[in-house]
């Protein structure tokens, strides 16, 4: 999106300091592929009275007198700050540091989702593979902070409220806190680059400084502060690029801002997938730019293609490469087996230390000792152990188990043999396992057979599913309920034999029960504690094909020669591992549908209906809640923009030419960009059925705050700078007062029950006042004890 809009005015706007208007009709001819330069000025002798008060003051502070025709100056990215503003920025950063770093060491125990993200840092340091729904960048940065200050990964972050021991948790919290601080000057610089006034930019910076929700979220080992920072950084770089593009494209500075925009897009996407909404914001803006260029007859097709390719490289290729590099680092660190193995395919697991498998026989025959793996649900092993079902047949349990174990070993026997099938195969030549063979599977550890009968499973109690158990005694040859028929489903195209008979790792097959007609089946349903929360295995008459497919992972046979053909897993390359993990992350993310005590739906966020209880301990509480003054003003700005924009559209239909006014066009483009950013970061959550929390609104809140400040800049544009600053200071004072009033919930400060009740301005705010002391005397006793 162009922030200047598509202006069609009778009289061009007054030029900024040092620049004159250009006559389009008098542009000199240029060579193909270059942008025509406009040398003839609309005002050959610009004077100081063409500038408003702020612009004159800015020019004077830089030592510029009345601007001369030859005096042209364009700051990189269009960011032209005075010396006084640099001093103001320094003070703003100091204030932001004080607000976000105050009592950073308190509480000294685990807070909210530090349970997860602190634990992941430990897994990085221990190099133990794990799976999370979020990309790795923010977690890698937190891990780096902990590692630099001596964290060894031993602390388990098991429970909220667990006291930290030998953990540099302050250093780990410092990373998101520092990025939270850095977001503040970015908001100021972004608005200044958009040519908003210094008082407007100050208002935005201090609104973000004293926004309680952003403060609370940035003080703990969480991912949203890095997410908001990189969102703000992307917007800043993109605004700088747009300014460069309007001034003069394809310069070194132009390429720098465009490349930085792409890198920042990659970073925000590498923190959380919510970064896709930031990508969409810049993407729509880019499409708008290219559309405007397409309609500009001064831009040749060759030049337009050059613009398109440059943006495609920097805004698509660069972010994708950056995103993939983060996963490359992720895989390089997590080299060893961990609790995330079960989410990945067998081939993936084979690449992890501790999961490597020795070569195994390619052929499977009657008499082979095998391990069977399920094809679909993360490839668990067919497993049994000497524990019985508490219901149904009360026979020995059959489960799906994600780890290697001797209880996964089964002996393949011929179900049609005369006499003892465990001895029959030794008396005959090798018989390779083929389609249609009727077999028994004997559990080698307990010597019981894989068995099914007309009993309902303990969890999936439906008529079309039967219980699967291990049945029999040592020396018992079994009965017909132990018999299964092999049905080969698919072989490997690189191994022709795998389609004709069962081959290790190459053949997918089904096991059909000979009497019941059901198929050996497993799904993601877990057994209760009595089944050690392992995966349920049943015999399903209506089995989904993917959930009834099995393959042999290992095969041993005493009659096969030592030099017989052997196979192993094919090691996947980076791209295969990367794509598999993306699918696992997507599936896991979509599966987070369970309700949480403090979850909330998107319609409640703009009105700040409820927050999140982060931590309660020792009569203190940390509760995530926004600054209601900042929050409601930003929501009001959203509503005001929609109403005014709709009104202007109606007026345009009636023949009014409001959009011929350069001021209307400029602010429409400015506010429209921020509204688009808010909408793209907010509305998609209505399509999600997963768990959602208030902190998911923070990127949208950033755009809403900047939109309010843009509206403020428009409304106060006709006022004198002193009056405008005074109005901004009044808004800032109210924001600080609201922040102070709710700050005990952000910092976990001392509070009484009465103070807590008075702070519940909205009935749906559900922080627990009963957790605080009833009066000041009880609080004083606690303070004396602590002293």
């Amino acid at each position: 999106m162009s922030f200047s809009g598509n202006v069609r005015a009778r009289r061009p706007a007054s030029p900024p300091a040092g620049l004159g208007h250009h006559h389009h009709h008098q542009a000199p001819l240029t060579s193909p592929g270059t942008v025509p330069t406009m040398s003839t000025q609309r005002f050959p002798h610009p004077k100081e009275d063409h500038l408003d008060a702020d612009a004159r003051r800015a020019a004077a502070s830089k030592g510029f007198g009345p601007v001369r025709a030859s005096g042209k100056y364009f700051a990189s990215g269009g960011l032209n700050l005075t010396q006084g503003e640099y001093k103001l920025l320094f003070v703003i950063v100091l204030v932001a540091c004080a607000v976000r770093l105050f009592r950073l060491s308190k509480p000294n125990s685990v807070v909210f989702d530090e349970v997860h993200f602190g634990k992941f840092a430990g897994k990085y340091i221990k190099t133990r593979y794990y799976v999370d729904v979020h990309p790795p960048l923010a977690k890698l940065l937190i891990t780096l902070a902990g590692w630099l200050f001596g964290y060894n990964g031993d602390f388990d972050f098991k429970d909220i409220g667990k006291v930290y021991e030998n953990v540099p948790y302050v250093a780990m919290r410092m990373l998101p806190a520092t990025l939270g601080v850095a977001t503040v000057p970015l908001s100021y610089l972004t608005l200044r680059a958009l040519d908003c006034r210094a008082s407007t930019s100050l208002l935005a910076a201090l609104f973000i400084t004293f926004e309680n929700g952003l403060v609370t979220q940035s003080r703990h080992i969480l991912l949203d502060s890095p997410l908001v920072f990189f969102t703000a950084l992307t917007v800043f770089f993109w605004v700088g690029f747009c300014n460069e593009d309007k001034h003069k494209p394809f310069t070194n500075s132009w390429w720098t801002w465009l490349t930085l925009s792409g890198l920042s897009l990659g970073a925000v996407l590498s923190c959380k997938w919510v970064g896709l909404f930031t990508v969409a914001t810049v993407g729509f803006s880019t499409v708008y730019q290219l559309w405007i260029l397409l309609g500009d007859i001064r831009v040749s097709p060759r030049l337009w293609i050059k613009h398109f390719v440059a943006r495609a490289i920097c805004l698509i290729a660069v972010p994708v490469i950056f995103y993939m590099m983060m996963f490359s680092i992720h895989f390089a660190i997590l080299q060893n087996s961990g609790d995330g193995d079960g989410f990945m395919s067998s081939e993936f697991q084979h690449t992890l230390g501790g999961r490597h498998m020795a070569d195994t026989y390619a052929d499977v025959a009657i008499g082979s000792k095998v391990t069977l793996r399920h094809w679909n649900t993360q490839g668990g092993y067919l497993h049994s152990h000497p524990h019985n079902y508490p219901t149904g047949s009360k026979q020995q349990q059959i489960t799906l188990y994600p780890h290697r174990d001797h209880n996964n070993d089964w002996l393949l026997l011929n179900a049609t043999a005369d006499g003892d099938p465990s001895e029959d195969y030794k008396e005959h030549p090798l018989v390779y396992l083929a389609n249609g063979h009727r077999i028994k599977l004997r559990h080698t550890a307990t010597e019981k057979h894989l068995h099914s009968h007309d009993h309902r499973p303990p969890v999936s109690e439906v008529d079309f599913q039967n219980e699967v158990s291990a049945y029999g005694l040592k020396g018992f040859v079994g009965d017909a309920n132990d018999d299964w028929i092999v049905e080969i489903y698919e072989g490997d195209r690189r191994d022709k034999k795998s389609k004709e008979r069962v081959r290790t790792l190459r053949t997918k097959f089904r096991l059909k029960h000979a009497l019941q007609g059901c198929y050996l089946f497993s799904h993601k349903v877990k057994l209760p504690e009595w089944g050690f929360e392992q995966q349920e295995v049943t015999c399903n008459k209506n089995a989904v094909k993917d959930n009834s497919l099995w393959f042999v992972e290992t095969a041993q046979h005493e009659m096969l020669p030592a030099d017989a053909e052997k196979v192993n897993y094919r090691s996947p390359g980076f791209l295969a591992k990367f794509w598999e993990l993306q699918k696992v992350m997507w599936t896991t993310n979509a599966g987070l549908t369970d309700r949480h005590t403090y979850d909330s739906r998107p319609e409640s966020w703009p009105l700040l209906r409820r927050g999140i209880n982060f931590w309660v301990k020792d009569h203190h509480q940390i509760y995530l809640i926004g600054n209601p003054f900042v929050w409601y003003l930003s929501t009001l700005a959203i509503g005001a923009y929609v109403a005014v924009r709709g009104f202007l559209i109606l007026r345009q239909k009636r023949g009014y030419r409001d959009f011929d006014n350069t001021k209307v066009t400029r602010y429409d483009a400015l506010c429209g960009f921020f509204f688009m950013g808010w909408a793209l970061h907010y509305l998609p959550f209505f399509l999600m059925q997963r768990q959602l929390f208030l902190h998911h609104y923070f990127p949208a809140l950033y755009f809403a705050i900047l939109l309010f400040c843009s509206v403020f800049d428009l409304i106060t544009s006709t006022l004198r700078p002193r009056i405008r600053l005074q109005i901004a200071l009044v808004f800032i004072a109210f924001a600080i007062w609201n922040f102070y009033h709710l700050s005990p919930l952000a910092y976990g400060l001392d509070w009484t029950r009465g103070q807590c009740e008075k702070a519940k301005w909205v009935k749906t705010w559900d922080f627990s006042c009963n957790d605080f002391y009833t009066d000041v005397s009880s609080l004083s006793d606690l303070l004396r004890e602590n002293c």
Side-chain angles (χ1 to χ4, degrees):
M1 176 177 290
S2 173
F3 298 103
S4 61
N6 188 11
V7 179
R8 295 183 296 119
R10 293 180 180 177
R11 180 182 183 277
S14 300
L19 292 176
H21 286 282
H22 307 300
H23 251 314
H24 293 175
H25 300 292
Q26 300 178 12
L29 296 175
T30 58
S31 59
T34 63
V35 178
T37 58
M38 311 306 172
S39 59
T40 305
Q41 297 180 353
R42 175 71 173 83
F43 296 93
H45 303 289
K47 295 182 179 179
E48 190 176 5
D49 58 359
H50 289 137
L51 310 178
D52 66 10
D54 280 2
R56 288 199 301 271
R57 177 175 296 178
S61 67
K62 287 184 170 291
F64 298 141
V67 184
R68 298 179 180 177
S70 60
K72 295 185 178 181
Y73 173 75
F74 181 80
S76 180
L79 189 63
N80 198 357
L81 301 183
T82 67
Q83 292 299 321
E85 284 184 278
Y86 285 111
K87 296 176 183 177
L88 177 62
L89 263 179
F90 179 74
V91 173
I92 290 173
V93 170
L94 288 181
V95 172
C97 286
V99 170
R100 278 163 170 73
L101 303 183
F102 175 65
R103 286 171 54 94
L104 193 63
S105 62
K106 304 295 181 180
N108 64 342
S109 56
V110 179
V111 176
F112 192 53
D113 276 350
E114 289 185 341
V115 165
H116 302 298
F117 304 122
K119 184 192 303 178
F120 294 151
K123 293 183 184 300
Y124 274 125
I125 291 172
K126 294 291 188 180
T127 70
R128 299 294 183 186
Y129 189 79
Y130 74 90
V131 167
D132 182 37
V133 297
H134 302 302
L137 176 58
K139 294 173 288 186
L140 287 170
L141 292 174
I142 291 170
T143 302
L144 178 63
W147 178 75
L148 289 175
F149 284 86
Y151 180 43
N152 60 12
D154 287 338
F155 189 78
D156 60 11
F157 290 86
K158 187 176 182 181
D159 300 304
I160 294 175
K162 183 173 182 177
V163 177
Y164 285 117
E165 296 178 357
N166 301 318
V167 182
Y169 69 96
V170 176
M172 297 170 76
R173 287 176 178 173
M174 184 68 75
L175 187 280
T178 302
L179 296 182
V181 170
T183 305
V184 172
L186 280 176
S187 63
Y188 183 97
L189 294 173
T190 299
L191 288 179
R192 288 296 287 131
L194 289 168
D195 207 25
C196 289
R197 294 162 178 82
S199 53
T200 302
S201 304
L202 174 67
L203 179 64
L206 292 183
F207 266 19
I208 290 171
T209 298
F210 292 102
E211 208 299 298
N212 297 60
L214 293 175
V215 170
T216 306
Q217 195 75 11
S218 67
R219 291 171 46 79
H220 303 289
I221 307 171
L222 304 172
L223 307 187
D224 291 274
S225 184
L227 173 69
V228 174
F229 166 75
F230 285 116
T231 300
L233 188 65
T234 300
V235 174
F236 171 64
F237 285 147
W238 181 244
V239 168
F241 165 73
C242 291
N243 289 338
E244 290 284 345
D245 192 55
K246 286 184 292 182
H247 175 64
K248 187 177 181 182
F250 301 111
T251 63
N252 289 338
S253 184
W254 184 91
W255 280 107
T256 299
W257 285 95
L258 183 59
T259 304
L260 289 174
S261 298
L263 289 172
S264 189
L265 280 176
V268 70
L269 185 58
S270 298
C271 287
K272 275 188 169 185
W273 275 357
V274 174
L276 283 169
F277 304 150
T278 308
V279 173
T281 302
V282 173
F284 277 113
S285 183
T286 302
V287 170
Y288 181 82
Q289 283 183 351
L290 293 173
W291 178 254
I292 295 299
L293 287 172
L294 192 62
D296 191 338
I297 60 174
R298 296 167 299 173
V299 177
S300 66
R302 181 179 177 184
L303 180 58
W304 188 90
I305 292 173
K306 187 177 179 182
H307 276 279
F308 175 84
V309 171
R311 286 163 171 79
I313 292 172
C314 292
L315 300 180
I316 298 177
V318 168
V320 168
I321 291 171
F322 185 97
Y323 180 76
M324 295 176 71
M325 284 178 61
M326 293 303 103
F327 279 94
S328 177
I329 296 171
H330 178 80
F331 293 142
I333 295 174
L334 302 179
Q335 295 182 350
N336 294 304
S337 176
D339 56 15
D341 296 11
F343 291 92
M344 311 309 295
S345 68
S346 305
E347 290 82 1
F348 192 110
Q349 294 178 29
H350 182 62
T351 65
L352 300 173
R355 294 302 297 259
H356 184 76
M357 184 181 77
D359 292 347
T360 185
Y361 286 119
D363 284 315
V364 180
I366 299 299
S368 290
K369 186 170 76 171
V370 299
T371 55
L372 298 181
R373 296 200 72 170
H374 194 237
W375 177 257
N376 198 28
T377 53
Q378 284 83 46
Y381 293 92
L382 186 67
H383 177 93
S384 188
H385 41 231
H387 296 275
N388 295 341
Y389 291 117
T391 60
S393 67
K394 297 186 179 180
Q395 294 174 4
Q396 186 169 297
Q397 297 172 14
I398 297 290
T399 65
L400 212 64
Y401 184 61
H403 306 293
R404 289 176 182 163
D405 188 288
H406 69 280
N407 281 324
N408 303 334
D409 294 339
W410 300 85
L411 186 64
L412 277 171
L413 301 174
N414 182 8
T416 61
D418 296 329
D420 186 355
S422 61
E423 298 294 331
D424 178 76
Y425 73 91
K426 299 178 183 178
E427 302 170 0
H428 299 89
L430 279 175
V431 177
Y432 295 117
L433 188 63
N435 190 59
H437 274 179
R438 184 166 176 150
I439 63 170
K440 294 180 186 291
L441 286 165
R442 177 176 293 181
H443 190 241
T444 60
T446 60
E447 298 194 15
K448 297 177 188 259
H449 294 110
L450 186 71
H451 182 92
S452 187
H453 41 216
D454 193 17
H455 285 270
R456 300 290 77 77
V459 177
S460 300
E461 298 182 79
V462 289
D463 290 340
F464 58 84
Q465 294 207 61
N466 291 346
E467 176 191 86
V468 174
S469 63
Y471 172 71
L473 299 169
K474 185 175 182 178
F476 177 58
V477 297
D479 59 29
N481 279 324
D482 302 338
D483 293 359
W484 303 84
I485 298 172
V486 177
E487 293 184 0
I488 292 179
Y489 171 70
E490 186 178 58
D492 191 316
R493 62 185 179 183
R494 289 166 290 190
D495 184 353
K496 293 182 179 179
K497 296 178 182 177
S498 64
K499 299 176 183 178
E500 302 167 0
R501 63 177 192 257
V502 175
R503 297 266 287 177
T504 306
L505 300 175
R506 303 292 186 258
T507 305
K508 288 185 280 186
F509 59 90
R510 305 172 85 188
L511 291 174
K512 182 179 180 180
H513 195 263
L515 297 185
Q516 300 292 332
C518 53
Y519 288 92
L520 189 66
F521 172 89
S522 186
H523 48 179
K524 293 183 179 180
V525 174
K526 302 280 184 160
L527 296 174
E529 288 186 11
W530 53 258
F532 309 99
E533 297 184 351
Q534 294 174 16
Q535 204 161 299
E536 183 186 44
V537 174
T538 68
C539 194
N540 193 328
K541 297 175 183 176
N542 299 324
V544 176
K545 185 167 290 183
D546 285 347
N547 284 351
S548 60
L549 291 176
W550 304 82
F551 69 95
V552 174
E553 182 182 73
T554 62
Q556 303 174 35
H557 201 293
E558 58 192 32
M559 297 173 64
L560 282 172
D563 59 351
E565 182 185 359
K566 293 186 177 181
V567 293
N568 210 323
Y569 283 113
R570 299 184 179 97
S571 294
F574 167 75
L575 289 178
K577 292 170 63 178
F578 169 80
W579 184 243
E580 180 180 341
L581 182 54
Q582 303 309 300
K583 291 190 288 185
V584 168
M585 290 167 59
W586 177 268
T587 303
T588 307
N589 198 16
L592 297 176
T593 56
D594 294 340
R595 293 303 306 272
H596 187 279
T597 307
Y598 288 93
D599 65 5
S600 55
R601 298 310 299 171
E603 59 269 17
S604 69
W605 299 341
L607 298 177
L608 197 62
R609 299 289 292 169
R610 72 179 311 208
I612 310 170
N613 186 18
F614 269 21
W615 177 89
V616 176
K617 192 175 183 181
D618 299 332
H619 302 284
H620 292 79
Q621 185 175 10
I622 294 177
Y623 183 92
L624 179 76
I625 194 72
N627 184 318
F629 183 74
V630 175
W631 212 280
Y632 295 146
L633 281 181
S634 65
T635 302
L636 180 64
I638 297 294
Y641 172 78
V642 172
V644 172
R645 192 63 169 84
F647 179 68
L648 290 176
I649 292 173
L650 290 176
R651 280 175 58 86
Q652 188 179 40
K653 290 293 184 183
R654 299 290 294 177
Y656 291 92
R657 304 184 66 182
D658 298 309
F659 291 101
D660 286 352
N661 185 302
T662 54
K663 186 174 182 179
V664 171
T665 306
R666 172 178 175 268
Y667 280 104
D668 176 65
L670 176 60
C671 295
F673 174 74
F674 289 136
F675 175 80
M676 179 181 67
W678 172 85
L680 289 174
H681 285 79
Y682 172 59
L683 298 180
F685 285 107
F686 283 94
L687 304 176
M688 300 182 189
Q689 300 303 315
R690 58 150 291 174
Q691 271 182 10
L692 295 172
F693 298 90
L694 181 65
H695 60 72
H696 286 107
Y697 185 69
F698 284 161
L701 176 66
Y702 179 79
F703 284 96
I705 291 173
L706 295 190
L707 175 58
F708 168 77
C709 293
S710 301
V711 173
F712 172 85
D713 196 77
L714 169 62
I715 293 174
T716 61
S717 60
T718 59
L719 301 177
R720 288 183 296 172
R722 183 185 297 274
I723 296 176
R724 187 187 310 118
L725 178 60
Q726 289 171 350
I727 296 173
L729 291 176
V730 170
F731 279 112
I732 291 168
F734 274 106
I736 293 174
W737 184 82
N738 277 256
F739 170 79
Y740 174 77
H741 196 70
L742 294 173
S743 61
L745 292 175
Y747 297 118
L749 299 174
D750 300 326
W751 227 14
T752 65
R753 190 173 301 174
Q755 292 171 319
C756 175
E757 293 290 352
K758 289 180 181 178
K760 279 194 175 182
W761 295 337
V762 180
K763 290 182 180 179
T764 51
W765 289 358
D766 50 0
F767 43 85
S768 177
C769 293
N770 293 329
D771 290 311
F772 294 100
Y773 281 110
T774 55
D775 51 43
V776 177
S777 60
S778 301
L779 190 57
S780 301
D781 293 340
L782 176 66
L783 292 174
R784 281 195 296 272
E785 291 175 6
N786 291 338
C787 293

